[in-house]
Amino acid sequence: MIKLLNESDISKIAHLEEEVQTYALEALTILDEEYGTDRDPITDLGGYVVILESQEDIMQLEELHNIDLTKSPLPEFVDFIYPEKGPRYTASLFLLSSDYGIIIILPYDMTPKELMKK
């Protein structure tokens, strides 16, 4: 699991497709502009972006935030990221409170079918 807390963390996903990096950077830019770069994205308002790369990452997400991608809470939206080369991805926004959300990006082939129905 790769947590991206601010724009400055974008180098953590340099190994991923450019379209995934761009999507994550756009989300982080909005969070930084709206909630500040000096916030603690884990405990303060705003939220963060997380990249899941394995089934273990999905289980860890469940433990950290009680998010089961096959059940609830329901995502606000599910976007599809179609890189020119490489695997496809999904990006989902889960609001955990009125001012705190997590954007979850994971490979399309790991995305539960229940999530894609949303």
Side-chain angles (χ1 to χ4, degrees):
M1 176 185 309
I2 303 171
K3 288 183 184 178
L4 305 173
L5 307 178
N6 300 93
E7 286 180 58
S8 59
D9 289 340
I10 202 69
S11 63
K12 292 180 180 180
I13 60 169
H15 64 285
L16 295 177
E17 289 75 8
E18 182 179 339
E19 292 85 351
V20 175
Q21 293 177 51
T22 299
Y23 192 98
L25 182 60
E26 288 174 359
L28 291 167
T29 299
I30 292 169
L31 289 170
D32 285 353
E33 287 175 358
E34 296 299 320
Y35 298 99
T37 57
D38 59 342
R39 74 188 189 288
D40 177 352
I42 303 300
T43 60
D44 292 338
L45 297 178
Y48 62 96
V49 175
V50 64
I51 311 292
L52 305 179
E53 298 181 292
S54 69
Q55 291 299 323
E56 293 159 356
D57 289 349
I58 292 174
M59 292 186 308
Q60 187 178 9
L61 178 74
E62 280 186 43
E63 292 171 13
L64 284 174
H65 294 291
N66 199 27
I67 295 176
D68 181 340
L69 296 179
T70 63
K71 295 181 184 167
S72 64
L74 296 175
E76 293 298 309
F77 64 79
V78 178
D79 277 343
F80 297 92
I81 304 170
Y82 298 103
E84 196 171 300
K85 296 179 182 177
R88 296 180 294 167
Y89 289 80
T90 59
S92 307
L93 170 63
F94 286 84
L95 292 179
L96 302 182
S97 74
S98 61
D99 252 347
Y100 188 82
I102 299 174
I103 296 174
I104 300 169
I105 299 175
L106 70 159
Y108 181 86
D109 62 356
M110 283 179 45
T111 304
K113 293 188 184 341
E114 297 85 358
L115 187 65
M116 289 197 277
K117 292 177 186 177
K118 309 300 183 216

